[in-house]
Amino acid sequence: MELQQLRYFLAVASEKNITRAAEHLRLSQPALSRQIHQLEDSLGGPLFERSQGGVTLTERGYYLAEHAKEMVRLADKISANLNTATPVSGELYIGGGETETLTSVVKTFRQMKQRHPDVKLRLYSGNGDDVIDKLDRGILDFGVVIEPVNLAAYASRELPHVDRWGILTRRDSPVGQKLAIETEDLLDLPLILSEQSLVDRHLSARLGVDLSEADVVATYNLLYNASLLVREGIGHALCLDGIINTYGTELVFVPLHPPLTSSVHLIWKNGSRLSNVASTFLELFDERETAT
């Protein structure tokens, strides 16, 4: 199994048609077909089901596609960071959950870009579980994660601001008229909760409210989609402040009372050798935080 074969395979999987994939890759159709057959032979079974209308992935093909994307992405990352014409250039891979605190990371990259114009940022958005998974597999250089998270396996920096918990709700709802919502009142509301593992247990422990007893009408992993549910009056989203811009909209953020906040951490694999571009970013981050 060769890296170039994986690129060909992913092109066919994306186009769902060998002829279109060959045109995209600027290969002849017979040459591309041979490469796909060789890959199938090396892996011991068909990756596609062929028909007159095109091709579809087999179960084996779906499995390979999921992992091939990450293998190709990791190879591209390594290549970009080693084949550089200047001392500090290449690509920086950062993944983060939804938090306004990510601004400090973005400002550091802006400073880095000013000093080293050849660097590029690859920013991945996902919940904490997704970010840590990609960090562990070497896809990301850094992750930005929100409490709760087990930091034992990671080097980290705590970001300078904390996130405030509350609910995103309609401005014209009874809850939307309040300055704050009492934690015990959460159990009386139709709630939209994050699916991220540990979050519900974490909040339950800190709030003294068992969220497993709440009326959970929907779950989410990124808040924008949850905000659409809130806008339609389906429920109230338990979330962090500052992620959805509510100014001039029918939505409003109502903080919890007593206040509940979470710290945010920039993390990377403990003991891992950072690329030149990642090391430079970390130096600039520390430099900025020391100065502020």
Side-chain angles (χ1 to χ4, degrees):
M1 184 171 59
E2 299 177 359
L3 187 63
Q4 191 60 53
Q5 287 179 324
L6 294 180
R7 296 185 192 276
Y8 293 157
F9 163 76
L10 290 173
V12 175
S14 176
E15 296 290 342
K16 297 181 175 61
N17 184 283
I18 292 180
T19 300
R20 288 198 301 268
E23 292 173 354
H24 175 73
L25 295 167
R26 298 181 180 179
L27 288 176
S28 69
Q29 181 176 337
L32 179 57
S33 294
R34 281 197 302 273
Q35 290 292 329
I36 296 300
H37 282 301
Q38 289 175 11
L39 180 61
E40 290 178 321
D41 289 342
S42 69
L43 295 178
L47 300 171
F48 295 101
E49 293 179 355
R50 279 81 170 172
S51 67
Q52 283 189 333
V55 297
T56 57
L57 289 170
T58 62
E59 185 174 345
R60 181 188 297 267
Y62 277 114
Y63 178 83
L64 177 61
E66 179 181 351
H67 295 282
K69 290 175 184 177
E70 294 187 353
M71 294 168 68
V72 169
R73 191 179 298 123
L74 180 58
D76 289 343
K77 172 187 170 185
I78 293 171
S79 178
N81 288 330
L82 291 180
N83 297 325
T84 56
T86 58
V88 181
S89 63
E91 297 181 338
L92 180 68
Y93 287 73
I94 299 179
E98 292 181 298
T99 168
E100 195 175 18
T101 310
L102 191 64
T103 300
S104 62
V105 172
V106 174
K107 287 182 177 180
T108 301
F109 179 75
R110 181 185 64 184
Q111 182 180 356
M112 184 178 183
K113 184 73 173 174
Q114 290 170 345
R115 296 188 188 183
H116 309 288
D118 291 332
V119 299
K120 296 179 181 179
L121 176 62
R122 303 300 187 201
L123 187 60
Y124 169 82
S125 296
N127 66 32
D129 290 341
D130 294 335
V131 169
I132 287 178
D133 179 62
K134 285 180 168 52
L135 186 66
D136 288 344
R137 286 189 277 175
I139 304 300
L140 300 175
D141 295 305
F142 298 101
V144 177
V145 294
I146 306 160
E147 284 186 311
V149 61
N150 185 354
L151 297 176
Y154 306 97
S156 66
R157 298 284 190 275
E158 185 170 345
L159 299 185
H161 305 289
V162 296
D163 282 331
R164 180 174 62 160
W165 286 92
I167 61 168
L168 184 70
T169 186
R170 285 187 61 90
R171 196 177 297 272
D172 59 5
S173 70
V175 178
Q177 308 298 313
K178 297 182 178 182
L179 296 178
I181 179 170
E182 300 296 327
T183 55
E184 59 266 24
D185 292 341
L186 291 175
L187 298 183
D188 298 324
L189 299 175
L191 292 181
I192 304 170
L193 299 182
S194 167
E195 283 193 345
Q196 182 177 336
S197 66
L198 297 180
V199 169
D200 291 352
R201 293 196 299 274
H202 168 73
L203 291 179
S204 294
R206 294 183 65 187
L207 291 173
V209 172
D210 187 356
L211 291 176
S212 66
E213 299 179 358
D215 178 17
V216 181
V217 297
T219 60
Y220 70 90
N221 62 339
L222 294 177
L223 187 58
Y224 176 76
N225 289 338
S227 73
L228 301 180
L229 300 175
V230 174
R231 191 174 65 190
E232 294 300 319
I234 294 172
H236 313 270
L238 188 61
C239 62
L240 298 173
D241 192 10
I243 299 172
I244 299 296
N245 181 9
T246 61
Y247 181 77
T249 73
E250 63 266 54
L251 302 181
V252 65
F253 179 85
V254 180
L256 294 176
H257 183 269
L260 178 65
T261 59
S262 289
S263 61
V264 183
H265 298 265
L266 177 74
I267 66 172
W268 62 99
K269 290 180 70 173
N270 207 2
S272 65
R273 184 176 181 84
L274 296 175
S275 68
N276 194 18
V277 66
S279 296
T280 302
F281 173 84
L282 187 59
E283 290 172 5
L284 289 177
F285 179 86
D286 288 340
E287 189 178 294
R288 282 191 76 255
E289 296 309 308
T290 301
T292 54

